[in-house]
Amino acid sequence: MSPAERRAGLSLAAIFALRMLGLFLILPVFAVHAHGMPGGDNVALVGMAIGAYGLTQAFLQIPFGAASDRFGRKPVIVVGLILFVIGSAVAALATDVQTVVVGRVLQGAGAISAAVTALAADLTRDQHRTKVMAMIGSSIGLVFALSMVAAPLLYAVIGMSGLFWLTAALAVAAIFTILFVVPAAPPVPRAIGRFSEVLGNGQLMRLNFGVFSLHLMQTAMWVLVPAGLVHAGLPIAEHWKVYLPAVLLSFVVMVPAVIVAEKKGAMKQVFNSAIVLLLLVQAGLYLAGNVAGGAGLWPLAILLTLFFVAFNVLEATQPSWISKIAPAHAKGTALGVYNTLQSIGLFLGGALGGWLAQHVGPGSVSLLGCALALLWLILASGMAAPPTRRVAAA
């Protein structure tokens, strides 16, 4: 990669990381903290608070992505981050779970994922795009690991309100990064891609279903995982002992997998293998006794490690695949649709996962994950491999 491409990848990964760290910090502690708040005895409502930001993300990803095609990437990203700061402040001032839900909805109104990913595509060449997407995906995994370690410690010192204020400060840092660190964006076509070009493309829609399924599974798992670890005998302050090794080990596998996918033209094989692994993890969680009922600590740790391997590989390869096959004038629109389905998955993962756990039983959450992963594998198996472009020898 050129120096400009490296700078673009690292700075855009930092923006994702700063924003996602704020979102992830509540995952290890909120379900436990909520028991002391009005409305916290309702698991479905707690799940709604965890996944609510995905609701407004779902409504606004396409408008934000299309607006970035029309008005430029950076202005749209700044507006989204400002909305995220406002939502974080509302959640910080909340005294009940219902108000936290409102704050999380406002956080989600800053739906910048499509614009950031489109900007990454604008600033990189095709042959290096998966590497940049891997940087972004890896940054998400790294801050997830950091949040798992830091959240219980920070929670003990600054409380839940302090965590939300911290998320606001991180978003402000992201605004400075996009304005002063990210390289100048090339001009984008002053046109909005037609939705028919995206919705009528079977390849794009299969990838959209995949990201919906992946993030539904991820969020649904975190309605139950903290309680499952506590039930297995690990206090919440020590959950990092599982999360950190799981995420770090997953990178050891993810990095060579992404290199093989890009350099050997094996993206489809790596992609499908990650979906198979995801299916095995969901089946394993169910067979282990479900994450909130009776799974031991070691089975949970192993399954979480395998989940992060699959998750990080898919997070790196899917946006790159989308950007390679989407029409050039409609990348923002295509990525807006993609991130809309991602956001719907995030929302339904929390809301539906909480509802199923309360009314059907924790095992039903893993069974839902199995069904989604199996359907995704069937759809992905019929996809054509993305185009590859090799750099001519000098």
Side-chain angles (χ1 to χ4, degrees):
M1 288 191 292
S2 69
E5 286 174 319
R6 281 193 294 272
R7 180 183 170 194
L10 291 172
S11 56
L12 290 172
I15 290 171
F16 258 100
L18 289 169
R19 180 169 171 269
M20 297 307 294
L21 179 59
L23 293 171
F24 287 151
L25 278 172
I26 79 159
L27 291 181
V29 294
F30 184 74
V32 176
H33 170 84
H35 289 303
M37 301 179 72
D41 56 343
N42 187 326
V43 180
L45 186 61
V46 172
M48 179 73 72
I50 292 173
Y53 74 94
L55 182 63
T56 38
Q57 291 264 312
F59 282 107
L60 294 175
Q61 285 289 357
I62 292 175
F64 268 68
S68 77
D69 284 338
R70 178 66 180 87
F71 302 108
R73 314 295 188 203
K74 285 192 174 185
V76 170
I77 294 169
V78 170
V79 170
L81 288 170
I82 291 171
L83 290 172
F84 186 86
V85 172
I86 295 171
S88 299
V90 170
L93 297 170
T95 56
D96 54 45
V97 176
Q98 290 88 341
T99 307
V100 173
V101 172
V102 174
R104 295 281 282 172
V105 166
L106 288 171
Q107 282 184 321
I112 64 170
S113 298
V116 172
T117 311
L119 180 56
D122 294 340
L123 293 171
T124 55
R125 290 167 290 171
D126 281 356
Q127 62 266 28
H128 297 302
R129 193 161 299 145
T130 300
K131 299 173 189 174
V132 172
M133 298 304 175
M135 287 183 188
I136 294 173
S138 298
S139 74
I140 295 172
L142 282 171
V143 298
F144 184 85
L146 177 61
S147 71
M148 298 300 107
V149 176
L153 302 175
L154 289 171
Y155 175 70
V157 176
I158 62 177
M160 185 58 63
S161 177
L163 288 178
F164 280 118
W165 284 122
L166 179 59
T167 68
L170 292 171
V172 171
I175 292 173
F176 279 93
T177 301
I178 190 67
L179 291 176
F180 302 112
V181 181
V182 175
V188 297
R190 295 286 178 172
I192 297 177
R194 292 178 297 178
F195 291 125
S196 60
E197 295 179 85
V198 176
L199 300 180
N201 187 313
Q203 296 280 90
L204 290 175
M205 293 310 294
R206 292 181 192 205
L207 290 167
N208 291 336
F209 175 80
V211 77
F212 163 80
S213 301
L214 179 64
H215 285 269
L216 190 153
M217 283 181 263
Q218 180 206 21
T219 314
M221 284 173 59
W222 253 262
V223 174
L224 302 172
V225 162
L229 291 173
V230 170
H231 188 274
L234 193 67
I236 191 168
E238 298 182 21
H239 285 189
W240 66 270
K241 295 179 180 179
V242 171
Y243 297 139
L244 183 59
V247 173
L248 294 180
L249 285 172
S250 74
F251 288 142
V252 174
V253 179
M254 183 272 286
V255 172
V258 169
I259 292 173
V260 169
E262 187 68 36
K263 290 193 173 182
K264 303 296 184 181
M267 184 176 288
K268 181 177 178 180
Q269 294 91 325
V270 171
F271 185 81
N272 287 352
S273 297
I275 300 174
V276 170
L277 183 56
L278 200 63
L279 174 59
L280 294 175
V281 168
Q282 295 300 314
L285 288 172
Y286 179 77
L287 294 175
N290 72 65
V291 293
L297 186 58
W298 276 107
L300 274 177
I302 293 170
L303 289 168
L304 284 173
T305 302
L306 296 176
F307 172 79
F308 286 128
V309 170
F311 181 84
N312 288 331
V313 169
L314 292 165
E315 278 288 283
T317 53
Q318 286 191 109
S320 174
W321 199 330
I322 288 269
S323 67
K324 288 179 178 180
I325 65 177
H329 65 281
K331 281 182 184 175
T333 302
L335 288 163
V337 174
Y338 172 85
N339 283 284
T340 295
L341 270 295
Q342 179 189 69
S343 300
I344 293 173
L346 287 167
F347 168 68
L348 286 180
L352 184 57
W355 187 89
L356 285 172
Q358 180 165 334
H359 296 285
V360 183
S364 62
V365 178
S366 299
L367 288 177
L368 174 62
C370 287
L372 287 171
L374 180 59
L375 180 55
W376 184 9
L377 180 61
I378 293 170
L379 292 173
S381 297
M383 293 179 64
T388 58
R389 298 184 186 179
R390 300 189 180 277
V391 183

